[in-house]
Amino acid sequence: MAQYESSVKHVFYSQEQVYNKLSDLNNLASVRDRLDMIKDKLNGELEDLTFDRDSLSMKVKGISLTLRIIEREPMKCIKFEGDKSPIPLNLWIQILPVTNTEAKLKVTIRAEVNMFMKAMVAKPLQNGVEKLAEMLSMIPY
């Protein structure tokens, strides 16, 4: 089992605002509306993005991936599991308060990969977790 963690990102919204937006993926409609701008920042790596309340599907560099929320720990953490993903994986978003108007977040991916695959997926997964955290720190809550 390999684990990849983003750096800690500061968000200038309360922990509650961040959690409430991310715990219902329908709230990410504003992100989809700005998908073209996000695509440019991600150098075309993100090709498609769809979601409902509990799942998020994306196509990155021709690979389709669906993440489904499996656990919500109010105000602190949202856990996802890969559904129809090329490798078994879990992802979680941790949200911690800094002040009443600021929070910090970190994204972690844990993937089941053998030693051979680990060498091939380590860099893309680390880059992906960092880009996801960066994107989450930039959206309005």
Side-chain angles (χ1 to χ4, degrees):
M1 180 94 48
Q3 183 167 306
Y4 306 92
E5 296 180 355
S6 73
S7 57
V8 174
K9 305 294 181 184
H10 285 269
V11 182
F12 295 100
Y13 296 90
S14 71
Q15 177 186 26
E16 183 176 0
Q17 287 174 296
V18 175
Y19 176 82
N20 287 339
K21 180 124 184 184
L22 296 178
S23 64
D24 180 349
L25 298 176
N26 283 321
N27 292 330
L28 298 179
S30 62
V31 173
R32 184 172 45 206
D33 294 342
R34 294 185 289 165
L35 183 58
D36 289 332
M37 185 171 61
I38 293 168
K39 283 182 183 178
D40 292 341
K41 290 183 179 184
L42 297 177
N43 300 321
E45 292 177 11
L46 179 62
E47 299 169 27
D48 192 22
L49 179 66
T50 58
F51 47 83
D52 58 29
R53 182 179 189 282
D54 295 319
S55 66
L56 168 73
S57 297
M58 63 188 97
K59 192 171 185 180
V60 181
K61 291 186 174 183
I63 298 172
S64 295
L65 172 65
T66 298
L67 296 170
R68 186 166 313 285
I69 294 177
I70 57 169
E71 185 180 337
R72 291 174 175 90
E73 186 178 342
M75 306 312 145
K76 296 180 183 177
C77 189
I78 305 159
K79 295 182 182 180
F80 297 80
E81 184 174 71
D83 182 18
K84 302 175 191 164
S85 64
I87 57 174
L89 63 86
N90 289 82
L91 177 144
W92 57 98
I93 303 168
Q94 295 169 286
I95 309 160
L96 294 172
V98 175
T99 66
N100 289 339
T101 59
E102 184 181 350
K104 56 186 177 180
L105 64 83
K106 181 169 83 169
V107 178
T108 304
I109 291 178
R110 186 174 290 159
E112 290 185 38
V113 291
N114 62 36
M115 293 306 280
F116 175 73
M117 288 291 292
K118 189 174 181 179
M120 294 187 338
V121 302
K123 188 173 181 180
L125 284 175
Q126 185 61 51
N127 288 342
V129 76
E130 195 62 42
K131 287 179 181 181
L132 178 58
E134 183 68 28
M135 181 182 82
L136 291 174
S137 72
M138 293 172 23
I139 64 176
Y141 292 94

